[in-house]
Amino acid sequence: MRRSGMLLPVASLPSKYGIGTFSKEAYDFIDMLHDAGQSLWQILPLGPTGYGDSPYQSFSTFAGNPYFIDLDELVKEGILSQEECNSYDWGNNEEYINYEKIYSSRFKILYKAYKRNDIGNNKKFNAFCHKNRWWLDDYALYMSIKNFYDGKSWIEWDKDIRERNEDSLLIYENKLREEVEFYKYLQYLFYQQWHKLKAYANKKGISIIGDIPIYVSLDSADTWANPELFQLNKECLPKAVAGCPPDSFCETGQLWGNPLYDWEYHKFTDYKWWIQRIESSFDLYDIVRIDHFRGFDEYYSIPYGDKTAINGTWEKGPGMELFKYVKDALGEVDIIAEDLGFLTDSVKKLLDDTGYPGMKILQFAFDSREDSDYLPHNYNRNCVVYTGTHDNNTIYGWYKEINKEDKRMSINYMNNKYTRDNAIHWDFICLAMRSVADTCIIPVQDYLGLGKEARINVPSTLGKNWTWRMSKKGFSKKMVKKIKMLTKLYGRM
C-alpha cells in the first residue's frame, strides 16, 4: 500500500506557550494532513527531556513529557485561569523554543492545577496509577528524589537510596508523598490528552509514527530502578557506554553516553523488558520507528570515562532472537527500522529476517564519486523514503551547501535544469513521492522550503538543537491543495 505523510515533532508545533503541545494547533495540523491527502504523522520520542533537551535522552522510556500538556484544556475545565497562564514568560519568538523559560514556568503552573484537584480521590486517576504502577511508581519517585538532590542524577545520590535500600525507599516515599503524587498527576494529564489527540488523528485517517531510541539515559528512572538490565559495576556506574565509531562526518566518533544493555540478562528473562517497552509504544503510536537498529546486531562499546569514541569496540547484540520473542508475544507489529549509516552483511540479513522496512534518505543519494543505495532506482518497495530526517539539514539548506559536482548530479538525475534554486525542494519532494517506496515521509520544513535555520538537530553538538518551531502561518490553502494533487498523482492517497 502506497502512503505518505509528514515529519513534525510535537514540540515544533505552534502554540502560545513557548513549545508545541496537545493544543488546538495540534488538531489543526491533523486537519491539514487530512486535507492534503496524507495518512501519516511522524513525531519524535514523547518522553520527558533531560540534559541538552534531547528527546533521545529522557528521564523515562515510559513517561510522557509534561511540556506537551495543553494548558488551555485545563482552563476550559476551570482548573486554571487564562490570566494565570498568560502571567508567565514563555518567550517572545514564535519560531524558537526557549527551554529555560519553559522549565521555569511549566511546572509552577501545573503544580497550581494539581493543588486544586483533590486528584487523590479521583477514580480515573487512581485507575490510571494502578494500571501503570509497574513503571509509574518508580518514575514519580525518581523525579521527586532527583528534585530533592537539586537535579542531580541518581549516581550522585547517597549510597542508600542510590542502591534502593528498602528502608530508604520508604523514607523518601513518605517524605516526598505530595511531590510523587504530583508527578503521577502530570502523567495522567499527558496520557489523557495524548490518547484524545491520537483518537482524533485516527478518526481522520491519520496514523501516528512514533520513535523509540534504542538506548535509555543513564540519568533515568529506568536505569535506577532496573540496574540489572544494564552493564553496570558494583558501584552502579557503567562499565561501558554507547556511541558510534569515527567516520567521515566525525573523526572522533559519537559519544552518546547511554548505558549498554546486559543482553545475557535480557535473554535470561525472555526479553520481558523489551517486550513491555514495545507493547507500551504501540499504546502510544500506530507505527514504531526503532532508532539505531544496527545496535541489535552489533553495538559499539566505549569504555566509561573516555572523552571520545575512538577506543570503542563492536560487540555482538541479541540479533534475530529478540524479534522472535517480540513476534511470539505481540504478533505482527508495524515497525520501521532506522538502518542508516554503514551496514554490514549481518545487519542487512537481520533487516531481511525481520521483514521490517528500512529507511532511504535522498540527501545521502547524491555523491558524484560513487553509486548509492539511496538513489531511488535502487529501492525496493519495502522501505520508507525521506528527503531528510530530524538529524539532517533541510533539503533546501543541504542543496545550497553541497559541491557543484553533487549538485549537477542531482539535477541530471531529476532531468531538470530549469528549476530556480528557491523552488528546488519541490523537485526532491516529487522524486521521493514518485519512488517505488511504499511509504514516503517529508519533513514539514521541506514542504515550507526553509533553509538551515529550520534544522532540528546537528548530531554530536549541544546548545542549539531541538528549538525550531513552525510558524503559525504554516501551510497556505494553495500549498495544501498542491500537496494533495501530488499525493494523488503519485498514487499515495
Side-chain angles (χ1 to χ4, degrees):
M1 178 181 68
R2 289 173 66 78
R3 55 187 180 176
S4 63
M6 297 187 196
L7 169 60
L8 181 72
V10 170
S12 295
L13 286 162
S15 88
K16 56 188 175 185
Y17 300 119
I19 192 170
T21 69
F22 305 145
S23 61
K24 179 181 181 297
E25 290 83 357
Y27 288 84
D28 290 344
F29 182 71
I30 290 168
D31 288 341
M32 184 280 294
L33 288 172
H34 175 265
D35 293 343
Q38 305 305 292
S39 57
L40 299 167
W41 177 14
Q42 181 169 337
I43 59 176
L44 298 187
L46 289 175
T49 51
Y51 177 68
D53 307 306
S54 169
Y56 294 89
Q57 295 285 357
S58 177
F59 294 131
S60 169
T61 194
F62 300 104
N65 194 335
Y67 290 168
F68 298 158
I69 294 169
D70 178 24
L71 298 181
D72 285 340
E73 186 67 26
L74 301 181
V75 172
K76 286 179 189 175
E77 294 174 12
I79 300 168
L80 298 174
S81 71
Q82 192 63 66
E83 290 73 25
E84 286 174 320
C85 294
N86 294 341
S87 68
Y88 291 91
D89 182 6
W90 306 105
N92 55 14
N93 185 344
E94 69 171 22
E95 296 181 28
Y96 174 78
I97 301 170
N98 188 320
Y99 285 100
E100 183 179 357
K101 291 182 183 294
I102 291 166
Y103 178 80
S104 300
S105 304
R106 170 72 50 163
F107 289 99
K108 291 177 182 177
I109 190 78
L110 288 172
Y111 194 76
K112 286 184 178 181
Y114 161 71
K115 291 293 286 182
R116 293 170 184 172
N117 250 299
D118 188 26
I119 198 67
N121 291 315
N122 184 306
K123 289 183 179 179
K124 289 184 177 178
F125 169 74
N126 287 320
F128 170 82
C129 292
H130 180 75
K131 178 184 176 182
N132 295 283
R133 63 189 184 282
W134 57 277
W135 65 265
L136 183 59
D137 288 355
D138 287 325
Y139 167 71
L141 183 59
Y142 182 79
M143 295 306 297
S144 301
I145 300 174
K146 184 177 175 65
N147 288 344
F148 180 81
Y149 279 93
D150 298 321
K152 292 178 181 176
S153 172
W154 67 279
I155 62 174
E156 299 180 64
W157 299 351
D158 291 340
K159 188 175 188 295
D160 59 341
I161 191 61
R162 188 175 74 238
E163 296 182 357
R164 294 175 61 86
N165 174 278
E166 286 189 19
D167 291 339
S168 296
L169 286 172
L170 286 172
I171 290 170
Y172 279 99
E173 284 170 4
N174 289 322
K175 183 190 299 185
L176 304 173
R177 186 179 299 276
E178 184 176 280
E179 191 163 6
V180 167
E181 188 177 68
F182 169 60
Y183 275 99
K184 290 181 179 181
Y185 171 66
L186 296 183
Q187 291 308 301
Y188 173 66
L189 289 181
F190 172 91
Y191 272 85
Q192 201 177 41
Q193 291 189 4
W194 171 249
H195 280 130
K196 182 180 175 183
L197 181 66
K198 181 179 177 295
Y200 183 82
N202 291 164
K203 189 176 180 180
K204 285 279 187 173
I206 309 297
S207 295
I208 306 293
I209 303 177
D211 196 332
I212 63 171
I214 184 174
Y215 296 117
V216 303
S217 175
L218 177 61
D219 182 8
S220 71
D222 309 287
T223 317
W224 172 63
N226 306 285
E228 69 278 1
L229 299 177
F230 306 94
Q231 297 180 27
L232 306 181
N233 62 23
K234 291 180 180 179
E235 285 73 43
C236 291
L237 294 173
K239 298 175 183 176
V241 294
C244 277
D247 57 22
S248 57
F249 296 101
C250 185
E251 62 183 15
T252 58
Q254 296 181 32
L255 180 62
W256 301 337
N258 306 78
L260 296 166
Y261 296 109
D262 183 341
W263 285 117
E264 284 299 315
Y265 180 84
H266 284 271
K267 181 176 182 177
F268 175 74
T269 63
D270 294 338
Y271 300 99
K272 178 184 176 182
W273 183 85
W274 264 101
I275 290 168
Q276 285 180 318
R277 187 182 188 195
I278 292 176
E279 185 176 29
S280 68
S281 295
F282 280 101
D283 179 54
L284 288 171
Y285 318 119
D286 301 297
I287 304 162
V288 172
R289 189 197 87 129
I290 300 180
D291 192 51
H292 193 58
F293 189 76
R294 180 180 181 178
F296 295 109
D297 176 60
E298 289 182 312
Y299 61 90
Y300 196 64
S301 175
I302 305 163
Y304 181 64
D306 277 17
K307 302 300 183 184
T308 73
I310 290 176
N311 295 320
T313 57
W314 287 106
E315 306 293 340
K316 196 63 184 168
M320 189 61 197
E321 183 179 70
L322 166 62
F323 298 104
K324 286 179 179 176
Y325 274 91
V326 170
K327 185 177 180 180
D328 289 344
L330 306 179
E332 295 289 348
V333 287
D334 206 344
I335 287 175
I336 296 170
E338 188 272 284
D339 60 338
L340 305 176
F342 176 75
L343 300 183
T344 62
D345 289 341
S346 57
V347 179
K348 293 176 183 176
K349 185 178 187 307
L350 178 60
L351 191 64
D352 288 342
D353 289 346
T354 61
Y356 301 152
M359 294 173 56
K360 303 294 183 185
I361 311 299
L362 284 186
Q363 288 186 32
F364 296 165
F366 298 100
D367 185 339
S368 56
R369 298 167 299 177
E370 58 187 9
D371 192 25
S372 169
D373 289 341
Y374 294 103
L375 284 166
H377 69 263
N378 289 322
Y379 297 176
N380 59 44
R381 293 184 181 278
N382 188 35
C383 68
V384 185
V385 60
Y386 298 77
T387 45
T389 73
H390 63 277
D391 283 334
N392 296 108
N393 201 342
T394 66
I395 199 72
Y396 180 62
W398 165 82
Y399 183 79
K400 287 186 70 175
E401 293 179 355
I402 59 175
N403 62 48
K404 290 181 179 179
E405 290 76 18
D406 294 350
K407 192 174 291 188
R408 187 181 303 115
M409 177 190 174
S410 69
I411 292 297
N412 288 338
Y413 191 87
M414 294 183 290
N415 193 31
N416 189 350
K417 300 179 181 179
Y418 306 105
T419 303
R420 299 189 311 275
D421 278 4
N422 62 2
I424 197 69
H425 54 288
W426 285 108
D427 287 346
F428 287 101
I429 289 168
C430 290
L431 181 61
M433 290 283 273
R434 68 172 173 257
S435 74
V436 299
D438 284 336
T439 303
C440 174
I441 303 292
I442 306 296
V444 158
Q445 301 96 306
D446 290 349
Y447 272 124
L448 299 177
L450 301 177
K452 65 180 181 180
E453 74 281 354
R455 182 169 183 165
I456 289 176
N457 181 48
V458 180
S460 297
T461 66
L462 283 173
K464 297 182 180 179
N465 297 320
W466 320 109
T467 59
W468 176 81
R469 279 202 298 161
M470 181 173 70
S471 166
K472 289 180 180 178
K473 299 174 184 176
F475 290 77
S476 67
K477 289 183 179 179
K478 183 179 178 182
M479 185 181 294
V480 170
K481 189 175 180 181
K482 179 175 181 177
I483 295 169
K484 184 174 184 178
M485 179 274 292
L486 292 173
T487 306
K488 186 175 181 180
L489 179 66
Y490 296 126
R492 297 189 181 276
M493 288 280 282

